[in-house]
Amino acid sequence: MTEILGYTACRQLSQMFFAIIFFHGSEYFLAVIIHGRSSVTLNSLLVSKQYLLAMMFSLLEYCIEVVLFPELKEHWVISDLGLALVVIGEIIRKMSIITAGKSFTHLIRVYHDENHQLITHGVYRFIRHPGYCGFFIWSVGTQIMLCNPISTIGFAVVVWNFFAKRIPYEEYFLRQFFGAQYEEYARKVVSGVPFVN
């Protein structure tokens, strides 16, 4: 049980908690700056029951493995790769929010409004859905950082499935709003989530 209080667990878990707090806090902060406090709800923290369950499962997996298989958590190259992915995912996601400005929302727009523009510059020049790409990298990276083999696979599958459904739904409306302009953009630029086109 002393492994929970050891250097490895303290470092990996503190990185995890910092990553979670920074991710969600900055999501809310940017939403308030871009859309104004009156337009932003706690939904902008992006915390759902499913998300909380997934994070609790990953922490449970970590605690069980650090006690029963402490050597599993000592793979610093893997853990540091996960930390790098967390940072890269965070940067991509926040660049997407800042670049899109008022066109970025946490909910899919089903009605077109005057603030909604098709963004094709900045990070959007290379990735159609950089926010989703960033979150995918970030979420899987958190589990690699913890050296959680089960949760790494679980997060990759669950998050990929979520975006495999969400991207076509969102793109249906983008095609309605922007027509041929979006069609041409979608042909040239990858979605940013593997195997989702």
Side-chain angles (χ1 to χ4, degrees):
M1 195 65 178
T2 57
E3 290 83 1
I4 293 284
L5 303 173
Y7 171 76
T8 299
C10 286
R11 177 180 158 182
Q12 290 170 334
L13 290 174
S14 64
Q15 288 173 175
M16 177 68 169
F17 288 123
F18 179 78
I20 291 170
I21 291 166
F22 184 83
F23 179 87
H24 295 288
S26 61
E27 289 283 318
Y28 185 79
F29 179 74
L30 285 172
V32 167
I33 287 175
I34 292 168
H35 297 289
R37 174 158 263 169
S38 61
S39 301
V40 177
T41 67
L42 288 178
N43 290 337
S44 294
L45 286 173
L46 300 180
V47 179
S48 66
K49 288 178 188 174
Q50 296 86 345
Y51 176 83
L52 288 173
L53 283 171
M55 284 300 179
M56 289 188 329
F57 179 84
S58 79
L59 291 174
L60 178 63
E61 177 187 354
Y62 186 87
C63 291
I64 290 169
E65 289 172 355
V66 82
V67 170
L68 298 179
F69 313 105
E71 66 282 355
L72 183 65
K73 304 302 178 186
E74 297 293 337
H75 296 283
W76 287 107
V77 172
I78 294 172
S79 185
D80 289 344
L81 170 66
L83 177 58
L85 290 172
V86 166
V87 172
I88 290 165
E90 184 74 57
I91 290 169
I92 292 170
R93 179 151 176 99
K94 295 315 185 272
M95 283 175 56
S96 75
I97 294 172
I98 292 166
T99 302
K102 289 197 179 285
S103 291
F104 186 93
T105 61
H106 287 109
L107 302 174
I108 293 175
R109 289 189 175 165
V110 295
Y111 300 104
H112 189 69
D113 67 40
E114 72 229 21
N115 291 325
H116 193 195
Q117 301 172 359
L118 179 60
I119 308 298
T120 60
H121 63 279
V123 71
Y124 289 87
R125 194 170 31 173
F126 309 104
I127 307 170
R128 257 187 354 257
H129 298 283
Y132 299 158
C133 175
F135 183 79
F136 183 79
I137 294 169
W138 179 88
S139 65
V140 175
T142 62
Q143 301 312 303
I144 295 171
M145 182 177 69
L146 293 178
C147 298
N148 274 356
I150 297 168
S151 290
T152 297
I153 294 166
F155 273 51
V157 169
V158 169
V159 175
W160 184 88
N161 275 322
F162 176 77
F163 288 136
K165 293 174 186 158
R166 186 176 175 101
I167 287 173
Y169 178 72
E170 180 172 352
E171 289 194 340
Y172 168 81
F173 292 105
L174 290 170
R175 283 179 171 85
Q176 300 297 311
F177 302 155
F178 302 110
Q181 184 186 10
Y182 189 81
E183 289 288 350
E184 183 181 345
Y185 172 65
R187 268 196 306 277
K188 294 179 182 175
V189 181
V190 298
S191 75
V193 176
F195 311 111
V196 177
N197 199 16

